[in-house]
């Protein structure tokens, strides 16, 4: 005796008959074409050793930049208090600028012939920025975390820029100096001015 399920699966088979060529091929698996950490050939007049070293540096910077970017979004959502609106907007602006850096760093790693890290779990393993709690924190604590993250990134980016320059990797040096360092310095200034303890209404000497 045919059950209702049998009847409906037979009906679907009938509907699908003759349409195999238009069907998407699902559940495909194969070996990776390039393992993480390996550098492929790339005709950009830089030897493999230089490209591998720049990519290794840039992956560390990428993990830290992704973490700072995500911390900006966390603070954008969780900010509280009388400066809510301006900080809500400023944190999101900085998030978007960090996101542009993330893309520029990741694509530079790829063009060097290496593989950029991408997924959050890998970023969490690599980043040197301390993990913030899941809960909500006060504005001065949020800002302290951001400033410390900016300084960590600036310190490593300056070291990496010098190494890239010495190795003749001008493109990496330019990305680090013109984009990463300049953006982080500017953002650190905008954030730091919020934790200067000046009177809001009445001047201190009044
Ligand atoms: Fe938003």
């Amino acid at each position: 005796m045919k059950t209702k399920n049998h009847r409906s699966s037979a009906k679907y088979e009938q509907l699908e008959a003759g349409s195999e060529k238009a069907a998407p091929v699902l559940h495909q698996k194969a070996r990776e074409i390039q393992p993480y950490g390996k550098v492929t050939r790339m005709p950009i007049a830089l030897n493999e050793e230089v490209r591998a070293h720049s990519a290794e540096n840039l992956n560390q910077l990428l993990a830290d930049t992704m973490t700072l970017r995500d911390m900006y979004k966390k603070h954008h959502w969780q900010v509280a208090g009388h400066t809510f609106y301006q900080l809500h907007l400023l944190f999101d602006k900085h998030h978007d600028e960090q996101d542009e850096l993330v893309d520029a760093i990741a694509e530079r790693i790829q063009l060097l012939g290496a593989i950029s890290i991408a997924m959050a779990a890998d970023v969490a393993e690599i980043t040197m920025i301390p993990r913030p709690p899941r809960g909500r924190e006060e504005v001065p604590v949020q800002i302290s975390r951001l400033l410390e993250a900016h300084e960590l990134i600036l310190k490593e980016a300056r070291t990496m820029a010098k190494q890239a320059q010495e190795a003749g990797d001008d493109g990496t040096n330019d990305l680090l100096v013109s984009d990463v360092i300049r953006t982080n310095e500017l953002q650190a200034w905008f954030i730091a001015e919020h934790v200067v303890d000046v009177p809001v209404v009445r001047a201190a000497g009044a």
Side-chain angles (χ1 to χ4, degrees), residues 137-195:
E137 294 184 296
E138 294 172 1
V139 165
V141 181
Q142 290 182 319
I143 289 178
S144 288
R145 285 189 188 283
L146 292 168
L147 287 173
E148 282 158 23
H150 277 301
E151 194 158 35
L152 185 148
I153 286 173
L154 282 165
K155 202 172 170 188
E156 71 183 353
R158 286 209 186 90
T159 304
M160 292 170 186
K162 276 191 195 79
Q163 289 176 359
Q165 190 186 29
E166 281 160 17
D169 185 353
D170 299 327
T172 295
N173 175 267
D174 181 48
L175 172 70
L176 291 166
V177 176
S178 306
D179 299 318
V180 176
I181 293 175
R182 298 290 292 273
T183 302
N184 277 278
E185 284 175 339
L186 190 66
Q187 290 190 352
W189 173 45
F190 268 73
I191 295 299
E193 291 299 335
H194 287 83
V195 282

Side-chain angles (χ1 to χ4, degrees), residues 41-44 51 104 106-114 172:
R41 210 176 304 127
M42 202 56 82
I44 55 171
R51 290 184 289 110
E107 290 181 356
R108 175 128 202 112
I109 293 166
Q110 294 294 141
L111 75 80
L112 288 168
T172 295

